[in-house]
Amino acid sequence: MKKTFIMALLVVQSLSVLAQTMTTTDIQILDKIKSGNIKYTSYISDFKKTVHDDMMMEDVVSSGKFYYGKKTAQMAMEYTNPAGDLMIVNGENLMMRAAGKERKATVKQSPKMKGIKTILFAAINGNARAMEATKISCKTTDNSYVVTAVVDNKLNKSGMTKVVMTYDKTSMLLTKLVTYEMSGIYETYDLKNIKSNQPIKSELFK
């Protein structure tokens, strides 16, 4: 009970600080992106993931298909390169398969996975203010809105320090996501051939 109260207090304090850091333009852009995403119930796209680590000589690139169902709180990254790798969020349950090895967890068991889920779902839903950030800023390009969120590591245990999201100005759909980790590693997700409000592969989540 005491822990819940403390967490609630931290959330309120974080939202208060966040509100003070945003300009009127930031708020208008965030509201526009959020309202533009309400009509979407699902999201299917091709993805390319690029991992940059200063300790490695080359970036690691992978690709595949991305699925997201809003009502069912389901998300999947089905890799074609490397083939067979898979990452699934099914409600509170998480599963990752890499190099033939599977790891399962629940959000309650893993604060880190809970934090990652919070950030990913907030980004996909166009709701940056839901990702437990201390600062959010927005900028406009010819075709996109770019939203940068500084993660509050007291609330969010994902290990991420910053998230940069790019949304298409016309559809308001997420087209690019960059996550920065405490270790210095950053990952870029480019989403293309996006289809919204289409049935997703239910067999992935069984």
Side-chain angles (χ1 to χ4, degrees), residues 7-205:
M7 286 301 296
L9 184 61
L10 286 172
V11 170
V12 171
Q13 290 174 339
S14 178
L15 289 173
S16 176
V17 171
L18 177 61
Q20 295 173 31
T21 67
M22 293 190 293
T23 66
T24 300
T25 301
D26 291 334
I27 293 170
Q28 290 173 343
I29 291 174
L30 291 175
D31 288 344
K32 188 179 292 186
I33 294 170
K34 183 180 178 181
S35 62
N37 274 273
I38 291 173
K39 61 181 176 287
Y40 300 123
T41 58
S42 67
Y43 191 111
I44 302 172
S45 75
D46 298 323
F47 76 85
K48 183 177 80 170
K49 175 183 175 182
T50 305
V51 180
H52 177 83
D53 185 345
D54 289 338
M55 301 297 290
M56 301 180 69
M57 294 184 65
E58 295 183 352
D59 291 346
V60 178
V61 179
S62 54
S63 58
K65 208 78 173 179
F66 174 81
Y67 304 88
Y68 172 67
K70 183 185 291 185
K71 291 182 179 179
T72 54
Q74 294 176 322
M75 186 183 75
M77 296 179 70
E78 186 179 28
Y79 289 78
T80 54
N81 177 32
D85 283 8
L86 184 65
M87 190 275 282
I88 288 176
V89 178
N90 190 0
E92 299 298 298
N93 299 308
L94 307 121
M95 189 279 283
M96 288 184 289
R97 183 197 302 147
K101 295 182 180 180
E102 285 192 6
R103 184 163 72 92
K104 296 182 179 180
T106 66
V107 167
K108 290 182 179 180
Q109 291 173 330
S110 174
K112 178 171 182 170
M113 295 308 298
K114 179 182 178 181
I116 292 172
K117 178 187 173 184
T118 296
I119 287 173
L120 292 178
F121 277 46
I124 299 162
N125 289 326
N127 188 12
R129 279 174 284 199
M131 65 171 52
E132 300 168 334
T134 57
K135 182 179 180 181
I136 297 177
S137 59
C138 305
K139 69 177 183 179
T140 304
T141 67
D142 289 342
N143 302 310
S144 305
Y145 293 116
V146 181
V147 180
T148 301
V150 178
V151 180
D152 186 342
N153 297 128
K154 292 180 180 178
L155 291 175
N156 189 296
K157 305 300 182 182
S158 63
M160 298 179 190
T161 57
K162 185 173 71 172
V163 183
V164 181
M165 299 148 279
T166 302
Y167 296 91
D168 179 80
K169 258 187 183 179
T170 303
S171 66
M172 297 297 165
L173 287 167
L174 180 72
T175 59
K176 185 174 182 178
L177 176 68
V178 186
T179 61
Y180 295 82
E181 300 180 12
M182 293 178 183
S183 61
I185 295 172
Y186 63 87
E187 300 182 352
T188 301
Y189 299 82
D190 289 294
L191 306 175
K192 298 186 181 299
N193 302 318
I194 301 169
K195 296 179 182 179
S196 59
N197 298 340
Q198 299 293 314
I200 60 175
K201 295 170 63 173
S202 58
E203 62 267 24
L204 275 174
F205 303 97

